[in-house]
Amino acid sequence: MRNNDTICAVSTPYGVGGIAVVRLSGPDAKRIAETFLKTSKGRAVTLADHKAKLCDFVHEGDLVDELVATYFATPHSYTGEDVVELSCHGSLYVQQALLQCLLDAGARLAEPGEFTLKAFLSGRLNLSQAEAVADLIDSRSRSAHDLAVSQFRGGYAQELETMRKELIDISALLELELDFSDEDLEFVNRDRLVHLVDTLSEKVQRLLDSFRLGNALKQGIPVAIIGRPNAGKSSLLNALLNDDRAIVSSIPGTTRDTIEETMTIDGMLFRFIDTAGLRESDDMLENIGFDRAIKSAKQAQVVLFVRAVDGDSDTIGEDIAFITSKCPMEDKHFFLVHSKCDLPHDMHEAGIYVSAKVGIGIEELKQAIVNAVKSDVDRQGDILLANSRHFEALAKVLSALSEVRKGLEVQLTQDLIAIDLRDALYHLGSITGSVSSDEVLSSVFSRFCIGK
Ligand SMILES: Nc1nc2c(ncn2[C@@H]2O[C@H](COP(=O)(O)OP(=O)(O)OP(=O)(O)O)[C@@H](O)[C@H]2O)c(=O)[nH]1
Ligand SMILES: [Mg+2]
């Protein structure tokens, strides 16, 4: 990507709308836009910083559209460069015609995320904030939105950056010691280094621990619905979604594959996963379904174990022992759901009683799931890691820090400690983009759509 180009793109989604916005950014943005802009009396328009102007967009004497042009002069714009936004009527023809005029006049089509990349390169956003912009655009629930906003505001990245700077100071001193290694001088107080490494490791570990939940909040919290064939799992899915999503029948083994559907409850996005009934079988397809059901349960944050009230209540313990042997529940919320409670029954076990058929207990079950996840969020406090790139970088930071710690314990020489320290610094810096490679940048920005 050439930095000095003036780029342009339609920034609103593809399609017809009330208005559409065509955006231009770069040193020639103002000049290119002004080539086409005229007053209603046909006079040339001069754009003024941070002012919106109603103008005619004229191409070879023909009016293309009457639109509002807004100019943001460098450096006070999204990208840090000169930016012109043309808010036109949202016809596909008008959008494409404007774009073509701008391209013919010397602008180049923007690549995905290039406006935000420019904002990063000009120092207006750090990498973590740029990623937060993408998350904000993607957010489908209040909790995903909250996560994105917190990351945009700085979140943990800022704190990590402060610690990184402290580490840089220390490693500079260590390198200095190296220069004087013949004289056996110690510039770095080893206790201070140990303390810093420990505090940082603790912080990083806490962030890593929060990833499972953070990621689930962003992508949708997985809720697996499992149980024996015919227990009423698919009926429960349909009742939760209030939609006729999965096939229901009295034939055991109706659901063979997993069925997944998302739903927002109380501002949180959930992914409900209906699974094939759990039973040993000679049927190969059914066995595949069984494996998938167990896999879904393993990946879930919440497991609903469904059991019909007209079944044999003596086997509940056995069933639960079976399922927990296949899928440990320590890090999950496990709910015993007694289904078909509209049928006559004399069961009084702990758990939640529901009837998909008449709609009993469905709201109560939803509330119980929401409360369980909320308690996880509260326990986690305000730091939540939701970005997988950060997760990988932080895992590397932690392992490098633990090497530094080991080195300090066995009084390794400065040069060897310095290597691990540099490694930790590199991965820490990659989070905010203080150090970044083209590869990292292109993987971050290719996630964006064109026009952002
Ligand atoms: N009376 C009553 N019947 C129900 C209820 N929920 C499900 N059923 C019946 O139970 C049978 C099985 O329901 P499904 O939802 O297909 O059960 P499943 O657990 O998905 O079954 P598999 O996919 O075969 O494992 C169907 O005949 C449903 O009509 C309920 O709340 N009350
Ligand atoms: Mg089913």
Side-chain angles (χ1 to χ4, degrees):
M1 293 183 194
R2 284 136 301 170
N3 225 339
N4 259 338
D5 290 354
T6 295
I7 58 171
C8 65
V10 180
S11 285
T12 36
Y14 181 81
V16 178
I19 60 165
V21 175
V22 177
R23 185 148 61 166
L24 263 170
S25 174
D28 285 333
K30 181 170 182 283
R31 184 191 60 74
I32 291 175
E34 282 174 350
T35 319
F36 301 98
L37 299 178
K38 300 278 179 295
T39 66
S40 56
K41 300 215 166 63
R43 280 202 285 271
V45 166
T46 305
L47 294 169
D49 186 17
H50 278 76
K51 290 265 180 347
K53 270 194 184 158
L54 179 68
C55 348
D56 288 348
F57 190 103
V58 180
H59 176 55
E60 293 177 349
D62 292 330
L63 177 70
V64 182
D65 195 12
E66 186 187 63
L67 49 70
V68 174
T70 316
Y71 171 50
F72 305 90
T74 177
H76 302 293
S77 71
Y78 180 67
T79 59
E81 303 176 324
D82 270 1
V83 168
V84 178
E85 287 183 1
L86 304 173
S87 306
C88 61
H89 291 102
S91 112
L92 278 176
Y93 172 74
V94 169
Q95 297 175 33
Q96 291 310 312
L98 293 186
L99 206 56
Q100 196 55 56
C101 288
L102 301 174
L103 293 173
D104 291 344
R108 152 171 85 70
L109 203 57
E111 300 193 22
E114 196 173 358
F115 289 96
T116 310
L117 173 67
K118 280 175 178 277
F120 165 71
L121 292 174
S122 71
R124 290 192 60 81
L125 297 177
N126 69 34
L127 200 54
S128 161
Q129 286 175 313
E131 287 171 308
V133 171
D135 289 346
L136 189 66
I137 294 172
D138 280 344
S139 63
R140 285 185 290 164
S141 66
R142 192 178 62 222
S143 53
H145 172 265
D146 290 350
L147 279 171
V149 169
S150 138
Q151 190 176 326
F152 187 77
R153 292 254 164 88
Y156 53 80
Q158 218 141 32
E159 210 175 329
L160 291 178
E161 191 58 25
T162 314
M163 289 179 150
R164 192 180 80 95
K165 295 217 167 94
E166 240 177 292
L167 262 189
I168 288 178
D169 291 345
I170 290 194
S171 80
L173 289 175
L174 264 184
E175 312 262 339
L176 204 61
E177 276 182 20
L178 276 175
D179 294 342
F180 291 89
S181 50
D182 298 341
E183 294 161 49
D184 208 18
L185 285 173
E186 209 173 84
F187 293 110
V188 180
N189 180 323
R190 293 297 188 268
D191 289 342
R192 190 180 147 220
L193 182 53
V194 167
H195 178 73
L196 186 60
V197 167
D198 286 351
T199 327
L200 190 53
S201 303
E202 206 178 296
K203 172 123 244 150
V204 170
Q205 185 66 62
R206 275 224 308 283
L207 279 169
L208 288 172
D209 290 345
S210 73
F211 179 68
R212 208 171 103 93
L213 180 62
N215 194 47
L217 285 174
K218 189 161 124 184
Q219 314 283 350
I221 297 140
V223 181
I225 305 173
I226 60 169
R228 291 190 179 216
N230 248 352
K233 301 178 294 301
S234 300
S235 306
L236 179 61
L237 174 79
N238 291 347
L240 285 165
L241 299 171
N242 200 11
D243 187 15
D244 209 6
R245 173 68 179 80
I247 298 175
V248 166
S249 89
S250 56
I251 306 163
T254 302
T255 310
R256 299 215 148 190
D257 204 347
T258 50
I259 299 177
E260 185 173 322
E261 204 59 66
T262 58
M263 181 182 200
T264 306
I265 311 173
D266 244 15
M268 279 190 262
L269 186 69
F270 287 91
R271 288 194 288 124
F272 288 104
I273 305 143
D274 177 25
T275 64
L278 298 171
R279 69 167 164 195
E280 304 290 351
S281 158
D282 296 336
D283 182 315
M284 198 179 70
L285 274 182
E286 243 181 278
N287 284 333
I288 296 174
F290 179 101
D291 291 343
R292 289 198 175 178
I294 296 293
K295 192 170 153 211
S296 300
K298 282 184 175 158
Q299 290 169 347
Q301 193 96 8
V302 179
V303 172
L304 306 182
F305 182 62
V306 183
R307 223 170 163 291
V309 294
D310 60 345
D312 182 0
S313 71
D314 294 343
T315 56
I316 291 186
E318 213 175 286
D319 279 3
I320 292 179
F322 171 75
I323 176 72
T324 47
S325 74
K326 296 275 178 198
C327 167
M329 297 291 166
E330 283 83 39
D331 58 345
K332 309 178 193 305
H333 295 284
F334 181 86
F335 290 99
L336 179 56
V337 180
H338 304 285
S339 61
K340 312 191 192 181
C341 74
D342 55 290
L343 295 176
H345 62 279
D346 51 8
M347 222 203 297
H348 302 286
E349 301 280 340
I352 299 175
Y353 283 77
V354 303
S355 164
K357 191 171 179 183
V358 296
I360 301 171
I362 303 296
E363 287 312 312
E364 190 192 338
L365 178 59
K366 281 186 189 171
Q367 206 50 56
I369 296 171
V370 166
N371 290 344
V373 177
K374 277 197 175 146
S375 75
D376 290 343
V377 175
D378 289 345
R379 203 162 339 107
Q380 203 57 250
D382 50 358
I383 56 157
L384 265 179
L385 180 65
N387 180 306
S388 52
R389 191 183 69 82
H390 297 186
F391 178 80
E392 275 161 36
L394 285 173
K396 288 180 185 146
V397 170
L398 194 64
S399 98
L401 286 177
S402 104
E403 290 304 313
V404 173
R405 193 67 173 78
K406 272 189 234 156
L408 287 168
E409 261 162 41
V410 300
Q411 297 188 326
L412 219 58
T413 51
Q414 304 96 320
D415 49 344
L416 294 175
I417 292 179
I419 292 173
D420 292 323
L421 213 49
R422 249 179 264 141
D423 206 25
L425 280 172
Y426 174 81
H427 293 295
L428 260 182
S430 72
I431 291 174
T432 53
S434 319
V435 292
S436 61
S437 63
D438 283 354
E439 198 186 346
V440 169
L441 291 186
S442 77
S443 95
V444 167
F445 288 98
S446 60
R447 273 186 57 209
F448 282 80
C449 41
I450 290 181
K452 188 59 211 167

